[in-house]
Amino acid sequence: QLQLVESGGGSVQPGGSLRLSCECSGFTLDYFSIGWFRQSPGKEREGISCISGTGDATYYADSVKGRFTIVKHSAKNTVYLQMDSLEPEDTAVYSCAAVSSPYGSSWYELHNYCAYGMDYWGKGTLVTVSS
């Protein structure tokens, strides 16, 4: 059974950092693209970062570019989202998702996955940025 479980959320002050984890089971990361999405009350879901199964392509939304980093750890079947310089506007429920990509994904395909969503979803973890 394919599962994605997020962890690492919490409360942090503006300017602080958090690292989210997306632990995957039931499938091999090498053949799936993984994305991080977030949603806050009253706002649409936003795809903020995606990474290809091969790890050689990444996509970042403009809202997080330069502050967030997505990393794939194949041996642990886990994808991380390092979030630095957090701002109150980053407050949201963060979810990871997966889509089968056995031949890898280009930057353009990752852009589309982040824009339109993926097939398999975790339940999310809450990040609150507040002073």
Side-chain angles (χ1 to χ4, degrees):
Q1 182 178 359
L2 194 149
Q3 284 189 317
L4 300 94
V5 179
E6 303 92 340
S7 62
S11 296
V12 64
Q13 292 187 340
S17 298
L18 282 174
R19 188 179 77 160
L20 304 183
S21 300
C22 175
E23 186 173 344
C24 305
S25 60
F27 66 101
T28 302
L29 272 186
D30 290 350
Y31 304 109
F32 283 74
S33 294
I34 304 295
W36 282 97
F37 299 78
R38 68 184 182 186
Q39 188 165 20
S40 53
K43 293 186 177 181
E44 291 188 357
R45 184 185 68 199
E46 179 187 15
I48 56 173
S49 185
C50 291
I51 188 167
S52 66
T54 54
D56 60 354
T58 56
Y59 165 83
Y60 295 95
D62 288 343
S63 58
V64 305
K65 196 176 297 182
R67 299 187 299 124
F68 291 10
T69 305
I70 190 169
V71 176
K72 182 175 80 83
H73 195 307
S74 295
K76 294 185 177 181
N77 226 40
T78 299
V79 174
Y80 301 98
L81 185 69
Q82 177 67 39
M83 306 188 297
D84 299 318
S85 302
L86 283 162
E87 304 167 351
E89 294 74 22
D90 296 316
T91 295
V93 174
Y94 285 70
S95 301
C96 62
V99 62
S100 178
S101 307
Y103 305 107
S105 297
S106 65
W107 179 91
Y108 183 74
E109 289 169 320
L110 294 177
H111 169 272
N112 287 344
Y113 289 144
C114 269
Y116 301 114
M118 295 182 168
D119 295 332
Y120 306 96
W121 293 84
K123 294 183 178 180
T125 184
L126 176 63
V127 172
T128 303
V129 184
S130 174
S131 55

